[in-house]
Amino acid sequence: MTINQMAEALGLRVLTAPEGERECTGVYIGDLLSWVMGRAQCGDVWITIMSNINVAAVASLADVACVLLAEGVVPEEDVIRTAEQKGINLLCAQQPAYELAVRLHELGL
Amino acid sequence: MSETVRLYFDVDGEDFTSAGQASVQVKKSLRQLGIPPEIIRKVSIAMYEGEINMVIHAGGGKAEVLICEDCIEIRLRDQGPGIANIEQAMQEGFSTAPDAIRSLGFGAGMGLPNMKRYTDEMKIESEPGKGTDITMRVYL
C-alpha cells in the first residue's frame, strides 16, 4: 500500500506528500524521538502526536515512509515546509493512534 | 582503512531547531556515493544522536566523517562539561537533559545507547570539565 492509497482509505488529511507513491511496510507508534530512532523500521508509518520541527529530521534519518499525526494535531507551517523540502510525507488524522493502528492492520500492515 | 572522503561540520550549540543539519548532509553525501541504504540509516542516526547530545549538553562542537574503503568513521568532539560516569550514561533511560528538552521529545536516555546500537565500534573519551570525544565506526 502506498502513502496516497493509505490517505484515501483512512480519509487522512495530507499536509505534504512529496513521496506519495512510497510503499508503507509497517507501523511504529511513539513520541520520544530517540526511542523512535532506535526502534522504528525503514518504511514504517510513524504515528505520533509530536509535531515540532525535529520530527522532520528524525523521520528523514530513520527513513520512515511517513509521519502520521494523530488526535487532530496539526503542525506549524514551517514544519510542513521543512518536511516537503526533506521529501517527508506528512499527514494528519482526527483519530487516536490506537484507532489508526487498528485500521492500518485491517488494511494489511 | 584507506581514506577516500572526509567531511567536516561545526555543530551550532545555540539553535536546537536546526540540530541535525550535519547528519542530513552526511546522509545526502553517502547517498551520492552509492553507499547501501541500511548503512546510511545507521550512520545518520548515530550521528544525529551525537549531534543532538552536543547541542543539549555541550553548547555545540565539531563533527568529522571519514568515508573509507571498508568503513565509515564518525568523530565527534566537544568542549562541554564531559560525562562523569560513562557506564551510567550508556544505560537506556539514564538522562541528565533538562525538562525543556524532554518536552520536545528528546532526553529519553536513548542517545548514547542508540549510537552504540547502530554502529559496529564506539569509543568514548571524556573528562569532566574538559569535554567529550566520541569515535564510532560502521563497517561496509
Side-chain angles (χ1 to χ4, degrees):
Chain A
M1 176 172 59
T2 67
I3 297 296
N4 289 335
Q5 287 167 339
M6 175 184 76
E8 198 180 328
L10 267 66
L12 306 173
R13 183 174 156 204
V14 178
L15 299 167
T16 181
E19 302 281 342
E21 287 307 302
R22 184 165 176 188
E23 283 287 324
C24 331
T25 50
V27 180
Y28 190 83
I29 304 175
D31 303 315
L32 291 173
L33 302 186
S34 289
W35 204 275
V36 173
M37 273 197 295
R39 302 289 203 277
Q41 302 294 313
C42 170
D44 276 353
V45 173
W46 171 23
I47 304 176
T48 182
I49 51 161
M50 196 58 86
S51 65
N52 64 59
I53 192 90
N54 303 105
V55 167
V58 169
S60 168
L61 297 168
D63 204 13
V64 294
C66 75
V67 180
L68 174 50
L69 299 171
E71 313 251 16
V73 170
V74 179
E76 300 284 332
E77 198 55 43
D78 63 329
V79 176
I80 302 173
R81 260 200 317 275
T82 304
E84 193 162 10
Q85 286 161 6
K86 288 182 194 285
I88 305 294
N89 299 311
L90 183 59
L91 304 94
C92 61
Q94 290 300 320
Q95 301 96 307
Y98 173 71
E99 216 172 288
L100 291 167
V102 168
R103 289 284 291 120
L104 288 168
H105 179 68
E106 286 166 0
L107 290 168
L109 286 184
Chain B
M1 186 183 119
S2 72
E3 182 186 319
T4 50
V5 180
R6 184 186 288 250
L7 307 166
Y8 288 102
F9 303 93
D10 276 318
V11 177
D12 183 355
E14 300 298 314
D15 188 4
F16 195 75
T17 57
S18 70
Q21 279 181 344
S23 316
V24 170
Q25 188 54 50
V26 166
K27 186 182 172 187
K28 273 188 202 160
S29 303
L30 295 179
R31 193 181 279 165
Q32 281 164 1
L33 289 166
I35 304 288
E38 196 43 41
I39 300 282
I40 296 178
R41 195 174 118 91
K42 285 176 163 184
V43 169
S44 47
I45 289 177
M47 182 159 170
Y48 183 63
E49 293 283 16
E51 212 182 325
I52 290 289
N53 273 349
M54 286 199 279
V55 175
I56 295 174
H57 299 288
K62 292 192 185 305
E64 201 180 334
V65 177
L66 280 71
I67 302 155
C68 308
E69 212 173 291
D70 62 338
C71 78
I72 296 170
E73 187 169 294
I74 307 159
R75 296 175 184 167
L76 306 170
R77 310 270 177 269
D78 72 58
Q79 296 183 324
I83 302 168
N85 183 335
I86 293 175
E87 201 183 324
Q88 192 178 31
M90 287 304 299
Q91 289 170 11
E92 287 194 0
F94 178 82
S95 175
T96 57
D99 285 349
I101 296 296
R102 290 172 195 257
S103 70
L104 291 170
F106 290 104
M110 291 294 290
L112 288 169
N114 274 351
M115 288 157 75
K116 190 171 172 62
R117 181 199 303 262
Y118 281 113
T119 55
D120 298 312
E121 275 176 34
M122 176 171 163
K123 191 173 81 180
I124 305 178
E125 289 171 275
S126 188
E127 198 175 330
K130 291 205 169 162
T132 301
D133 287 6
I134 296 181
T135 305
M136 296 175 281
R137 273 188 186 181
V138 175
Y139 286 100
L140 295 168

